[in-house]
PDB file of all heavy atoms in Angstrom:
ATOM      1  N   MET A   2     -74.723  77.202  23.883  1.00 40.00           N
ATOM      2  CA  MET A   2     -74.152  77.497  25.298  1.00 40.00           C
ATOM      3  C   MET A   2     -74.973  76.850  26.356  1.00 40.00           C
ATOM      4  O   MET A   2     -74.482  76.452  27.440  1.00 40.00           O
ATOM      5  CB  MET A   2     -74.091  78.987  25.363  1.00 40.00           C
ATOM      6  CG  MET A   2     -73.109  79.421  26.406  1.00 40.00           C
ATOM      7  SD  MET A   2     -71.350  79.156  25.817  1.00 40.00           S
ATOM      8  CE  MET A   2     -71.252  80.314  24.444  1.00 40.00           C
ATOM      9  N   ASP A  33     -65.642  78.938  27.063  1.00 98.00           N
ATOM     10  CA  ASP A  33     -66.508  79.232  25.928  1.00 98.00           C
ATOM     11  C   ASP A  33     -66.925  80.644  25.821  1.00 98.00           C
ATOM     12  O   ASP A  33     -67.075  81.268  24.720  1.00 98.00           O
ATOM     13  CB  ASP A  33     -67.709  78.311  25.912  1.00 98.00           C
ATOM     14  CG  ASP A  33     -67.387  76.807  25.650  1.00 98.00           C
ATOM     15  OD1 ASP A  33     -66.227  76.576  25.359  1.00 98.00           O
ATOM     16  OD2 ASP A  33     -68.305  76.030  25.747  1.00 98.00           O
ATOM     17  N   SER A  34     -67.177  81.245  27.026  1.00 98.00           N
ATOM     18  CA  SER A  34     -67.604  82.652  27.059  1.00 98.00           C
ATOM     19  C   SER A  34     -66.485  83.586  26.521  1.00 98.00           C
ATOM     20  O   SER A  34     -66.691  84.487  25.762  1.00 98.00           O
ATOM     21  CB  SER A  34     -68.025  83.070  28.399  1.00 98.00           C
ATOM     22  OG  SER A  34     -69.045  82.251  28.961  1.00 98.00           O
ATOM     23  N   SER A  37     -66.190  83.148  22.775  1.00 98.00           N
ATOM     24  CA  SER A  37     -67.268  83.771  22.068  1.00 98.00           C
ATOM     25  C   SER A  37     -67.042  85.319  22.026  1.00 98.00           C
ATOM     26  O   SER A  37     -67.538  85.925  21.099  1.00 98.00           O
ATOM     27  CB  SER A  37     -68.607  83.492  22.705  1.00 98.00           C
ATOM     28  OG  SER A  37     -68.835  84.271  23.803  1.00 98.00           O
ATOM     29  N   ARG A  38     -66.277  85.888  22.896  1.00 97.00           N
ATOM     30  CA  ARG A  38     -65.905  87.258  22.838  1.00 97.00           C
ATOM     31  C   ARG A  38     -64.646  87.488  22.068  1.00 97.00           C
ATOM     32  O   ARG A  38     -64.234  88.679  21.992  1.00 97.00           O
ATOM     33  CB  ARG A  38     -65.814  87.849  24.257  1.00 97.00           C
ATOM     34  CG  ARG A  38     -67.165  87.968  25.048  1.00 97.00           C
ATOM     35  CD  ARG A  38     -67.040  88.639  26.340  1.00 97.00           C
ATOM     36  NE  ARG A  38     -66.201  87.898  27.352  1.00 97.00           N
ATOM     37  CZ  ARG A  38     -66.837  87.180  28.314  1.00 97.00           C
ATOM     38  NH1 ARG A  38     -68.179  87.154  28.466  1.00 97.00           N
ATOM     39  NH2 ARG A  38     -66.115  86.501  29.187  1.00 97.00           N
ATOM     40  N   GLY A  39     -63.970  86.484  21.587  1.00 98.00           N
ATOM     41  CA  GLY A  39     -62.814  86.597  20.851  1.00 98.00           C
ATOM     42  C   GLY A  39     -61.601  86.902  21.761  1.00 98.00           C
ATOM     43  O   GLY A  39     -60.601  87.502  21.281  1.00 98.00           O
ATOM     44  N   ASP A 343     -75.014  85.962  31.528  1.00 95.00           N
ATOM     45  CA  ASP A 343     -75.603  86.855  30.687  1.00 95.00           C
ATOM     46  C   ASP A 343     -76.823  86.304  30.033  1.00 95.00           C
ATOM     47  O   ASP A 343     -77.057  85.059  29.909  1.00 95.00           O
ATOM     48  CB  ASP A 343     -74.524  87.253  29.577  1.00 95.00           C
ATOM     49  CG  ASP A 343     -74.654  88.658  29.052  1.00 95.00           C
ATOM     50  OD1 ASP A 343     -75.780  88.968  28.603  1.00 95.00           O
ATOM     51  OD2 ASP A 343     -73.644  89.392  29.141  1.00 95.00           O
ATOM     52  N   THR A 344     -77.688  87.178  29.471  1.00 94.00           N
ATOM     53  CA  THR A 344     -78.932  86.729  28.868  1.00 94.00           C
ATOM     54  C   THR A 344     -78.604  85.810  27.667  1.00 94.00           C
ATOM     55  O   THR A 344     -79.486  84.883  27.344  1.00 94.00           O
ATOM     56  CB  THR A 344     -79.857  87.843  28.381  1.00 94.00           C
ATOM     57  OG1 THR A 344     -78.977  88.775  27.721  1.00 94.00           O
ATOM     58  CG2 THR A 344     -80.545  88.513  29.671  1.00 94.00           C
ATOM     59  N   ASN A 345     -77.513  85.946  26.976  1.00 94.00           N
ATOM     60  CA  ASN A 345     -77.276  85.165  25.816  1.00 94.00           C
ATOM     61  C   ASN A 345     -76.603  83.874  26.216  1.00 94.00           C
ATOM     62  O   ASN A 345     -76.019  83.070  25.323  1.00 94.00           O
ATOM     63  CB  ASN A 345     -76.446  85.978  24.784  1.00 94.00           C
ATOM     64  CG  ASN A 345     -75.139  86.423  25.261  1.00 94.00           C
ATOM     65  OD1 ASN A 345     -74.552  85.899  26.291  1.00 94.00           O
ATOM     66  ND2 ASN A 345     -74.436  87.380  24.544  1.00 94.00           N
ATOM     67  N   GLY A 346     -76.414  83.519  27.481  1.00 95.00           N
ATOM     68  CA  GLY A 346     -75.904  82.251  27.859  1.00 95.00           C
ATOM     69  C   GLY A 346     -74.454  82.250  28.180  1.00 95.00           C
ATOM     70  O   GLY A 346     -73.919  81.293  28.667  1.00 95.00           O
ATOM     71  N   THR A 347     -73.694  83.428  27.916  1.00 97.00           N
ATOM     72  CA  THR A 347     -72.324  83.427  28.380  1.00 97.00           C
ATOM     73  C   THR A 347     -72.206  83.944  29.829  1.00 97.00           C
ATOM     74  O   THR A 347     -73.295  84.221  30.441  1.00 97.00           O
ATOM     75  CB  THR A 347     -71.611  84.494  27.480  1.00 97.00           C
ATOM     76  OG1 THR A 347     -72.132  85.765  27.647  1.00 97.00           O
ATOM     77  CG2 THR A 347     -71.569  84.080  26.041  1.00 97.00           C
ATOM     78  N   ASN A 349     -70.161  86.291  32.634  1.00 98.00           N
ATOM     79  CA  ASN A 349     -69.261  87.483  32.881  1.00 98.00           C
ATOM     80  C   ASN A 349     -68.480  87.239  34.183  1.00 98.00           C
ATOM     81  O   ASN A 349     -68.993  86.689  35.122  1.00 98.00           O
ATOM     82  CB  ASN A 349     -70.030  88.788  32.952  1.00 98.00           C
ATOM     83  CG  ASN A 349     -70.739  89.085  31.619  1.00 98.00           C
ATOM     84  OD1 ASN A 349     -70.034  89.186  30.592  1.00 98.00           O
ATOM     85  ND2 ASN A 349     -72.003  89.208  31.608  1.00 98.00           N
ATOM     86  N   ASN A 376     -64.609  90.812  32.922  1.00 98.00           N
ATOM     87  CA  ASN A 376     -64.084  89.891  31.900  1.00 98.00           C
ATOM     88  C   ASN A 376     -62.640  90.156  31.590  1.00 98.00           C
ATOM     89  O   ASN A 376     -62.111  89.916  30.422  1.00 98.00           O
ATOM     90  CB  ASN A 376     -64.900  89.892  30.590  1.00 98.00           C
ATOM     91  CG  ASN A 376     -66.271  89.351  30.869  1.00 98.00           C
ATOM     92  OD1 ASN A 376     -66.508  88.544  31.711  1.00 98.00           O
ATOM     93  ND2 ASN A 376     -67.365  89.955  30.221  1.00 98.00           N
TER      94      ASN A 376
HETATM   95  C1  LIG B 401     -73.207  88.056  24.849  1.00 58.73           C
HETATM   96  O1  LIG B 401     -73.505  89.317  25.218  1.00 58.73           O
HETATM   97  C2  LIG B 401     -72.444  90.119  25.596  1.00 58.73           C
HETATM   98  C3  LIG B 401     -72.829  91.506  26.020  1.00 58.73           C
HETATM   99  O2  LIG B 401     -73.877  91.359  26.975  1.00 58.73           O
HETATM  100  C4  LIG B 401     -71.469  90.245  24.392  1.00 58.73           C
HETATM  101  O3  LIG B 401     -70.284  90.991  24.765  1.00 58.73           O
HETATM  102  C5  LIG B 401     -71.086  88.874  23.846  1.00 58.73           C
HETATM  103  O4  LIG B 401     -70.333  89.001  22.686  1.00 58.73           O
HETATM  104  C6  LIG B 401     -72.406  88.000  23.536  1.00 58.73           C
HETATM  105  N1  LIG B 401     -71.969  86.689  23.185  1.00 58.73           N
HETATM  106  C7  LIG B 401     -72.597  85.970  22.288  1.00 58.73           C
HETATM  107  C8  LIG B 401     -72.065  84.585  22.054  1.00 58.73           C
HETATM  108  O5  LIG B 401     -73.500  86.390  21.624  1.00 58.73           O
END
Side-chain angles (χ1 to χ4, degrees):
M2 203 68 68
D33 289 354
S34 299
S37 81
R38 291 187 289 261
D343 210 306
T344 46
N345 64 17
T347 60
N349 295 304
N376 295 327

